[in-house]
Amino acid sequence: MSPSTDSDDESNASPPREPPPVPPASVLASDQILRLPTRWSDQMKYSSLSISADGRDLTVNGSTSNGDRDAAAARTSHPIPPACGIYYYEVSILSKGQKGHISIGFAGRDVKLNRLPGWEQNSWGYHADDGFSYAAEKTNPYGPTYSTNDVIGCGIDFTAHKAFFTKNGTLLGPVFDGIGKDIEIYPSVGLRHNGESVRVNFGHEPFRFDIEYHVQQQRNSTWRKILSTPVDNALLLDRSKGDENKQDDKSRYSGSVVEARTRSMMNKLVLSYLIHHGYAKTAHALQKQHASLEQSLPGLTQPISKANDHDIDMDCTSPAHDNAAMFTLEDDIERRTRIVNAVVAGDIELAISETTKYHPLVLEAEAGLMLFRLRCRKFVELVLEASELKKKNKEKQVIMEVDGTVEAEWEGMDIDDDSRVSSVDDTHTSDYIHAKAPVRSGKGRESTTASVEQALNNAIAYGQSLANDYKADTRPEVKQMFRRTFAIVAFDDPREAGGVVAEVVSPDARINLANELNQAILKSQGHPTRPALETLCRHTATCIKQLGLLGNGTAAFADMSRELLGET
């Protein structure tokens, strides 16, 4: 991926968005919360029921009905997670027996297993013999009867806490109220007579009913409700400057004024995002638009930039200049864009030079750790350049012979006694860099091209200098980066290597370093390292996810990434 561009074809200062952060441990523990039922439980079944080896078939063995209130039921090992939003499974009737006393539905953890679903408190069922729905013995006409070879679907919509059933792919409609609202519920099936047999499909194979379309319809409905929900703009007004008494009487402000002040705050959020990612011209256009709003409602809209607003300070002072030297927004973004794009392009020398000139505090922070990382990347780029030249030269010689000479091979990296390379730690010298310049072999390897030889020598010399400069640095992160960086010299073409080497030389490594440098520059200027708008979106997405994990079924369909960013 390459950096995205502004609407005016201007390269931005920030490479592509980083992946979402890893959720905290509390969310990582949600794997159990989101575990779906996949089979009937061998323990939670009535004794006269037999379960197939794959856990999908239920069959009555012998008589279970000693009276009108006797039956045999089974449920799954795991409950249904409300965070899934809508849950659905299907049951094929292999044999209805003589009477077809079958019930398909749901049951709580402690419901008796000698009763059909719907005959007990906290159980719900759709019965085959009469087509009625049962909920704690409350019966109502619901749908058609069903028999051998029919496929009955059973679902629950946690956004409304209602169940629904299907027959042979046809939706029969919603039924029951408050199901799964206060307790864990499990898929459950009950049988009564010998010969009755069913087979369940918990997603092992395609469903007869188009559940994906049904879920998409519910998702669209949920999102429409979100978009149509009115927002109390007064909650967004700035109360930090003596407005408390004024805001107590909201009627003193007309709707247009409240809307204007809200728009002002939104513009600040958007502007901070544009500045962070380097959209200079778009940011300038937004400033001009906001200026007209300030003129139309003087005193009621906040300036879009303030000297003490660290998030979007429009006057950026470079530490390399006198404190009184002020630069425009466009100048600051242009410099930062040039530096960041230089890293993305692999021109590390330019990035170091520009950062030293305009943002020296960045290279001095954390005992020069950012400078060290940039220098390591420069060594990587030099090795890659030499490797690429060598590869091209070898391809040429495959096509044609030039005066019988061939390219000298880069034999790897060794240490000659007269050119020892100093390392961070003598005990790890072999981990870092052992090198010698390409040599003439004498037999068919008389010389190498000047460009390849010069590139190799440049990489070796820079590696020696880098190792010497940091040989006294004992920080673990420095030693680790040395090992990762110098590991690439063990490969003739690092780009074709795997593992850590592939990570070090990949374009993604450039992009990650460019992002970190961009954030470091912003931090040195007193700006947040992440735009407030991105932080707001991340917080909102996390809150929605947590609501879903806590059992709010509607939250399962409030997918911000899908609806706002078009991600799948």
Side-chain angles (χ1 to χ4, degrees):
M1 295 179 64
S2 60
S4 56
T5 57
D6 202 348
S7 57
D8 46 19
D9 294 329
E10 175 187 42
S11 296
N12 66 352
S14 178
R17 290 186 304 107
E18 301 174 13
V22 176
S26 60
V27 176
L28 291 177
S30 64
D31 57 342
Q32 292 298 320
I33 298 176
L34 298 177
R35 189 169 184 176
L36 296 171
T38 58
R39 58 167 294 147
W40 300 120
S41 171
D42 290 318
Q43 292 75 36
M44 303 309 297
K45 71 176 183 65
Y46 196 69
S47 58
S48 61
L49 288 179
S50 63
I51 300 179
S52 60
D54 61 4
R56 297 179 60 187
D57 293 0
L58 287 176
T59 303
V60 178
N61 292 320
S63 178
T64 64
S65 179
N66 296 322
D68 293 339
R69 303 179 66 83
D70 294 330
R75 67 168 175 80
T76 56
S77 303
H78 301 285
I80 302 169
C84 66
I86 290 179
Y87 178 81
Y88 181 78
Y89 73 100
E90 288 184 344
V91 176
S92 297
I93 312 302
L94 302 181
S95 174
K96 77 175 184 67
Q98 294 183 350
K99 297 183 179 181
H101 286 165
I102 300 173
S103 177
I104 298 172
F106 306 100
R109 176 189 294 271
D110 300 322
V111 173
K112 296 177 181 179
L113 296 174
N114 64 340
R115 303 279 284 156
L116 291 179
W119 279 1
E120 288 287 312
Q121 187 71 26
N122 295 328
S123 69
W124 302 262
Y126 170 33
H127 287 211
D129 60 324
D130 56 13
F132 277 37
S133 65
Y134 287 71
E137 296 188 339
K138 295 179 180 178
T139 65
N140 288 290
Y142 174 66
T145 61
Y146 52 91
S147 185
T148 302
N149 296 327
D150 284 330
V151 176
I152 302 301
C154 181
I156 178 170
D157 183 346
F158 286 99
T159 65
H161 290 284
K162 285 182 174 291
F164 61 93
F165 291 90
T166 67
K167 180 180 178 182
N168 298 327
T170 300
L171 182 65
L172 302 180
V175 64
F176 308 130
D177 292 317
I179 180 171
K181 193 171 185 179
D182 302 315
I183 63 169
E184 288 184 333
I185 59 173
Y186 299 73
S188 180
V189 167
L191 312 172
R192 289 194 69 193
H193 301 286
N194 190 31
E196 294 174 349
S197 179
V198 299
R199 181 171 177 80
V200 70
N201 175 15
F202 287 125
H204 301 89
E205 55 201 36
F207 291 123
R208 183 75 66 88
F209 176 63
D210 190 353
I211 187 61
E212 292 185 3
Y213 176 77
H214 183 79
V215 170
Q216 184 61 47
Q217 293 297 102
Q218 183 59 49
R219 177 180 288 114
N220 293 341
S221 175
T222 299
W223 195 251
R224 284 195 297 269
K225 290 179 182 177
I226 291 174
L227 295 180
S228 63
T229 300
V231 178
D232 185 356
N233 290 333
L235 296 175
L236 302 176
L237 298 179
D238 187 2
R239 302 168 184 266
S240 62
K241 301 199 170 182
D243 283 349
E244 292 85 352
N245 294 331
K246 295 180 181 179
Q247 296 305 323
D248 287 341
D249 184 8
K250 297 177 183 178
S251 62
R252 297 177 60 181
Y253 290 89
S254 66
S256 60
V257 172
V258 172
E259 182 179 352
R261 295 190 65 175
T262 302
R263 188 185 307 169
S264 173
M265 297 183 68
M266 295 299 182
N267 283 346
K268 291 179 66 178
L269 284 173
V270 173
L271 184 62
S272 70
Y273 178 88
L274 296 174
I275 293 173
H276 181 98
H277 289 290
Y279 298 106
K281 294 182 180 179
T282 306
H284 183 71
L286 181 60
Q287 274 188 290
K288 292 178 63 177
Q289 182 186 65
H290 187 82
S292 63
L293 179 63
E294 290 186 46
Q295 292 177 0
S296 63
L297 295 169
L300 293 180
T301 60
Q302 298 177 356
I304 199 168
S305 62
K306 300 179 291 185
N308 62 350
D309 190 340
H310 288 173
D311 193 26
I312 52 170
D313 186 1
M314 309 305 292
D315 293 322
C316 302
T317 304
S318 170
H321 293 69
D322 184 78
N323 289 336
M326 305 300 288
F327 297 88
T328 65
L329 169 66
E330 289 82 356
D331 291 336
D332 178 68
I333 294 180
E334 180 183 353
R335 286 194 299 271
R336 185 157 46 86
T337 299
R338 187 166 59 247
I339 292 170
V340 172
N341 285 343
V343 176
V344 174
D347 191 349
I348 308 301
E349 189 60 37
L350 175 61
I352 293 176
S353 174
E354 292 284 284
T355 305
T356 302
K357 181 177 180 181
Y358 295 109
H359 308 286
L361 294 180
V362 171
L363 303 182
E364 297 170 7
E366 299 182 86
L369 189 59
M370 178 57 71
L371 177 60
F372 170 69
R373 298 186 66 181
L374 288 169
R375 291 190 63 185
C376 284
R377 185 67 209 184
K378 180 179 177 181
F379 174 74
V380 171
E381 297 297 339
L382 289 173
V383 172
L384 290 177
E385 179 184 358
S387 176
E388 185 65 22
L389 287 173
K390 181 171 177 286
K391 182 179 179 181
K392 290 180 178 178
N393 195 58
K394 186 177 293 186
E395 290 172 352
K396 278 185 184 178
Q397 293 182 9
V398 170
I399 299 174
M400 58 184 297
E401 295 183 0
V402 181
D403 296 330
T405 62
V406 295
E407 175 189 20
E409 295 288 337
W410 187 5
E411 295 291 347
M413 307 194 84
D414 296 318
I415 294 182
D416 294 336
D417 292 337
D418 57 347
S419 60
R420 179 179 176 86
V421 178
S422 298
S423 66
V424 174
D425 188 321
D426 285 343
T427 61
H428 295 289
T429 299
S430 61
D431 292 334
Y432 300 128
I433 178 171
H434 303 1
K436 64 180 180 180
V439 297
R440 301 173 184 270
S441 65
K443 293 183 178 181
R445 298 179 181 177
E446 297 181 357
S447 64
T448 185
T449 61
S451 59
V452 174
E453 183 176 356
Q454 185 61 47
L456 291 173
N457 287 334
N458 288 344
I460 293 167
Y462 193 82
Q464 292 172 339
S465 174
L466 182 61
N468 280 326
D469 289 346
Y470 290 92
K471 64 182 179 182
D473 197 324
T474 60
R475 287 178 288 178
E477 58 267 37
V478 171
K479 289 188 175 183
Q480 181 184 18
M481 188 166 293
F482 261 123
R483 287 192 290 269
R484 289 170 59 89
T485 300
F486 288 121
I488 68 175
V489 301
F491 297 87
D492 189 54
D493 187 352
R495 290 188 177 91
E496 297 180 357
V500 173
V501 173
E503 294 177 7
V504 170
V505 302
S506 69
D508 286 344
R510 285 181 181 173
I511 291 174
N512 291 336
L513 181 59
N515 269 320
E516 292 169 5
L517 181 57
N518 185 46
Q519 293 177 350
I521 292 173
L522 291 167
K523 182 178 179 180
S524 73
Q525 296 175 326
H527 302 324
T529 58
R530 194 179 300 278
L533 184 59
E534 283 188 9
T535 301
L536 178 62
C537 288
R538 288 169 181 264
H539 287 179
T540 303
T542 300
C543 287
I544 290 174
K545 181 173 183 178
Q546 288 287 36
L547 282 173
L549 295 177
L550 291 173
N552 186 308
T554 305
F557 300 118
D559 192 333
M560 291 183 58
S561 297
R562 178 194 296 268
E563 301 295 343
L564 300 182
L565 303 179
E567 298 178 353
T568 58

